[in-house]
Amino acid sequence: MSRPRSDTRERIQEVARELFLARGVQRTSLQDIADKLGITKPALYYHFSSREELVRSILVPLIDEGERFVADHENSGPPGARELLEGYFDFFYRHREDLALVLAEWNMLTDLGLIDKVLAWHGRLGKLVFGSKPTLAQATRAVVAFGGLQDCCLQFPDTPHKQLRAKSVDAALAALGVTAA
């Protein structure tokens, strides 16, 4: 059953994200979210039938956008390594709050089937850099480079975007061991 889209739905997601990051998903009840919003729990249930559905509603757009990013690059021919890394960094920088939620609730998100997709991106992106059959050394460098970009978005929250992007992408290029083409 499709749920209605509304400002209330978006406010619920915003408050849920805030509480999930502060307390964790498992320690945040739907009643906690309703209370913070000043609405009844049945009103919250009108928009989301469960906490799992609420978590999915926050994270699935992130996963879908990431999947489009990877697929678009796979379909458009081999990009330059710098361009690919910059785009991947920008994607995670825009979604750093959701990334923090993913990392904080790793087990739950594994159960939802979302983590496997994110982890597979590193391998797919590595193939864009190194070709369809990267060596183990190349594949591990890709995991370090692309995973490191994600980590930089979280590790340095007060660093301006432009500065963090430049330093993070340079480090990822070094990890890949490729020229900045």
Side-chain angles (χ1 to χ4, degrees):
M1 176 174 145
S2 172
R3 297 282 185 215
R5 299 272 176 226
S6 70
D7 289 340
T8 302
R9 183 178 170 88
E10 290 172 10
R11 281 186 27 241
I12 291 168
Q13 290 170 319
E14 186 177 303
V15 167
R17 182 183 285 112
E18 176 187 318
L19 291 174
F20 291 159
L21 287 169
R23 301 178 185 173
V25 172
Q26 296 302 325
R27 291 180 303 281
T28 303
S29 69
L30 291 179
Q31 186 65 57
D32 294 334
I33 297 165
D35 290 347
K36 179 141 180 147
L37 284 162
I39 64 175
T40 64
K41 193 171 175 182
L44 193 146
Y45 274 120
Y46 176 75
H47 296 278
F48 298 99
S49 64
S50 67
R51 184 174 48 200
E52 179 179 298
E53 181 185 348
L54 180 52
V55 170
R56 276 188 175 279
S57 78
I58 292 169
L59 295 179
V60 166
L62 164 80
I63 302 302
D64 289 347
E65 184 183 335
E67 184 61 29
R68 277 191 306 277
F69 172 84
V70 175
D72 287 350
H73 280 85
E74 287 172 331
N75 294 329
S76 65
R82 179 173 292 281
E83 173 192 343
L84 186 62
L85 292 164
E86 287 174 343
Y88 198 67
F89 175 88
D90 290 343
F91 163 68
F92 275 106
Y93 190 86
R94 279 192 310 277
H95 297 288
R96 41 189 197 281
E97 284 184 356
D98 293 334
L99 179 58
L101 179 58
V102 167
L103 294 175
E105 298 295 335
W106 192 266
N107 289 338
M108 180 185 171
L109 298 172
T110 299
D111 293 342
L112 294 175
L114 300 176
I115 297 299
D116 292 339
K117 189 172 276 196
V118 174
L119 293 177
W121 294 343
H122 298 162
R124 292 169 61 194
L125 292 166
K127 288 179 182 178
L128 288 172
V129 174
F130 295 116
S132 63
K133 295 185 185 222
T135 66
L136 178 59
Q138 292 169 326
T140 57
R141 286 195 301 249
V143 168
V144 169
F146 291 105
L149 287 176
Q150 291 167 207
D151 292 349
C152 287
C153 289
L154 294 174
Q155 190 71 29
F156 306 102
D158 298 326
T159 303
H161 172 267
K162 186 176 179 180
Q163 181 183 3
L164 183 59
R165 181 187 200 228
K167 298 300 181 188
S168 299
V169 169
D170 285 348
L173 284 166
L176 288 174
V178 299
T179 60

